[in-house]
Amino acid sequence: MAENRLHRLSVLLFFLITALATASTILLFQAGEAWLSVALWAATIAASHALSVPTPSGKRINLAIGPAVAAVILLPDVLAVITAFSVGLFGGWIVLRWRSKTDRDADSDYVAEAVSMIAFGLVASGVLAALADSSLPLAWEQLISIASGAVVWFVVRALISAWVGTEREDLASRYLWLLALEDWTVALSIFTGGALFGMTWTEMGLWAFPVAILPYAFSHLAFVRYHSTRITYGQMIRALAQIPEVADLAPRGHSSRTADLAVAMAREIGLHPNEVTELEYSALMHDVGRITLTEPAILKAGYTDEDIARWGAQIIAEAPYLQEVSQYVRVQHNPYRRPGEARDPDVPMVSKIIKVASAYDQSVHEMHLSPLEGLERIHRGSAYDFDPEVSSSLRRVLVQRGVIAA
């Protein structure tokens, strides 16, 4: 249902953009302005919707805003800018419809892109026109206008992305907002490339292409490699997390089920996206210390869950990148509070979530309790063991997934 509503919204926005493109084109011809340059920039903006770059948030940003930045600098007035933007977004919708066969986020991407780009065009071209009579050098006027528009573009896009995401009840608004803000590095590189081209074209002509495109190309490759490395890293951690299970030292599928449930609770609570990633790694490897149970001396001496967590943390800490993850694993079995205190400040929220997710999965898949009985077991332990906030989040996630009734 949410996807259908989002599709209808994107179609409505497309018709509004079409009306704006038609009206602005008529006004442009009536004003007798040169239409060739406007048409060129509109075509470039439309075609750029087919190109995108992966972002730290896991989504992709198409490159249409790059030529839009240059268009603000090189087109003569606000009318020309709005015409180029609206006609470009008209063509961009068609491009994204073509891409939607393989991109399930095409509707949300278009809504965010269209509104934020129009906002950028109005602000940037308006500021540039307002500074026309100032004593500032032209380069500073252009820089201030682009920077002002860029801030508006970024904030509007982040707000719309967060608002669109609220269609999903399992994602907190705070998480969605913070996730959208993670993409500032990619946005900065695209804006810089567009601004470089627009500000150097008059003086350098065709040489403006390499001046603007080459620096961005290096950034683009870096973003793609980072995205690929992040995926590979996650796959490797998932593979390592299965070692105790393959050796029959831990229940099959326990780590992946715990991670899936823990991530869902973290997003529902509204943790920072970076914390969610670290939580996923921690949950996947929370039982990795069980590989030490192949040692006869350990089996003879006896061990506790805290011992397994400590050994697992020591193994994980061998990777410098996972130092934070090792700390989460180390304290995962600690109660969220002890008698006489409200909370234990040494137990982070990530560890509390892992504790609840792991205990629930054990209840259902090892103790063979029903989902409702497993949830009740968690609630009974909320006096000291399980954080009530996390227990409440678990209930909401199970309701949203249809596991238990509301």
Side-chain angles (χ1 to χ4, degrees):
M1 293 299 293
E3 290 184 358
N4 291 335
R5 288 195 296 270
L6 192 56
H7 178 67
R8 290 195 295 269
L9 178 60
S10 72
V11 171
L12 174 62
L13 188 58
F14 168 70
F15 282 116
L16 292 175
I17 293 292
T18 302
L20 177 61
T22 302
S24 60
T25 300
I26 293 173
L27 292 174
L28 188 73
F29 277 105
Q30 289 178 346
E33 295 191 23
W35 58 268
L36 185 59
S37 59
V38 174
L40 177 63
W41 283 113
T44 304
I45 292 171
S48 297
H49 280 81
L51 304 173
S52 62
V53 58
T55 66
S57 70
K59 295 177 69 69
R60 301 182 72 91
I61 291 181
N62 69 59
L63 304 186
I65 192 60
V69 172
V72 168
I73 297 174
L74 296 175
L75 290 177
D77 53 34
V78 176
L79 177 60
V81 169
I82 296 302
T83 303
F85 280 24
S86 56
V87 175
L89 288 170
F90 171 85
W93 190 86
I94 297 174
V95 171
L96 289 177
R97 285 298 96 206
W98 169 70
R99 283 184 55 198
S100 65
K101 298 175 182 178
T102 56
D103 185 0
R104 62 190 299 270
D105 294 326
D107 287 317
S108 62
D109 288 345
Y110 184 76
V111 171
E113 183 67 34
V115 177
S116 59
M117 185 180 290
I118 292 295
F120 165 77
L122 290 172
V123 172
S125 57
V127 171
L128 189 60
L131 295 175
D133 297 328
S134 69
S135 58
L136 292 172
L138 178 60
W140 277 104
E141 294 177 0
Q142 295 171 341
L143 186 61
I144 292 172
S145 64
I146 294 301
S148 302
V151 171
V152 171
W153 178 90
F154 186 70
V155 172
V156 169
R157 185 182 178 88
L159 287 172
I160 292 176
S161 297
W163 174 73
V164 167
T166 56
E167 290 280 355
R168 294 181 54 180
E169 297 178 355
D170 58 329
L171 299 178
S173 299
R174 179 178 183 273
Y175 170 78
L176 293 165
W177 168 251
L178 293 173
L179 187 66
L181 294 181
E182 288 288 292
D183 297 339
W184 70 270
T185 51
V186 177
L188 180 62
S189 67
I190 298 175
F191 271 87
T192 301
L196 274 174
F197 181 84
M199 296 175 73
T200 57
W201 171 258
T202 303
E203 300 295 331
M204 302 183 66
L206 293 177
W207 282 103
F209 282 101
V211 167
I213 292 176
L214 284 178
Y216 172 74
F218 289 122
S219 299
H220 186 96
L221 290 175
F223 295 134
V224 171
R225 178 164 295 184
Y226 170 79
H227 182 69
S228 176
T229 301
R230 188 173 180 178
I231 292 176
T232 302
Y233 210 93
Q235 292 172 341
M236 183 173 63
I237 288 176
R238 286 184 176 276
L240 292 174
Q242 293 181 20
I243 293 177
E245 299 176 9
V246 172
D248 288 329
L249 299 172
R252 294 295 179 98
H254 173 66
S255 63
S256 59
R257 291 192 300 268
T258 298
D260 175 66
L261 189 57
V263 168
M265 287 190 289
R267 290 173 173 170
E268 199 275 338
I269 290 173
L271 293 190
H272 192 281
N274 291 340
E275 288 183 294
V276 175
T277 300
E278 292 175 341
L279 176 141
E280 182 178 17
Y281 294 165
S282 304
L284 284 169
M285 296 192 292
H286 78 285
D287 268 347
V288 75
R290 288 184 176 272
I291 63 176
T292 60
L293 300 184
T294 56
E295 293 291 332
I298 291 177
L299 295 175
K300 182 178 180 180
Y303 58 88
T304 64
D305 288 339
E306 286 75 12
D307 292 328
I308 294 175
R310 186 179 72 255
W311 297 330
Q314 291 171 353
I315 294 171
I316 296 170
E318 293 296 320
Y321 178 74
L322 297 175
Q323 289 293 325
E324 196 70 26
V325 171
S326 70
Q327 294 302 313
Y328 294 144
V329 171
R330 183 183 297 275
V331 298
Q332 62 172 306
H333 289 294
N334 291 10
Y336 88 95
R337 77 182 189 96
R338 301 182 189 279
E341 63 182 13
R343 295 180 185 275
D344 186 347
D346 295 328
V347 181
M349 178 60 75
V350 169
S351 298
K352 297 174 185 177
I353 293 174
I354 295 173
K355 184 179 179 69
V356 169
S358 178
Y360 174 80
D361 186 76
Q362 288 174 342
S363 299
V364 174
H365 292 93
E366 294 180 53
M367 301 172 64
H368 304 293
L369 300 178
S370 69
L372 194 58
E373 290 171 335
L375 179 63
E376 183 60 29
R377 176 171 175 254
I378 299 298
H379 282 309
R380 286 199 302 267
S382 294
Y384 293 104
D385 280 338
F386 306 116
D387 190 323
E389 180 183 356
V390 181
S391 302
S392 298
S393 176
L394 173 63
R395 170 179 282 278
R396 291 192 294 270
V397 169
L398 294 178
V399 170
Q400 290 157 4
R401 292 185 170 189
V403 176
I404 63 174

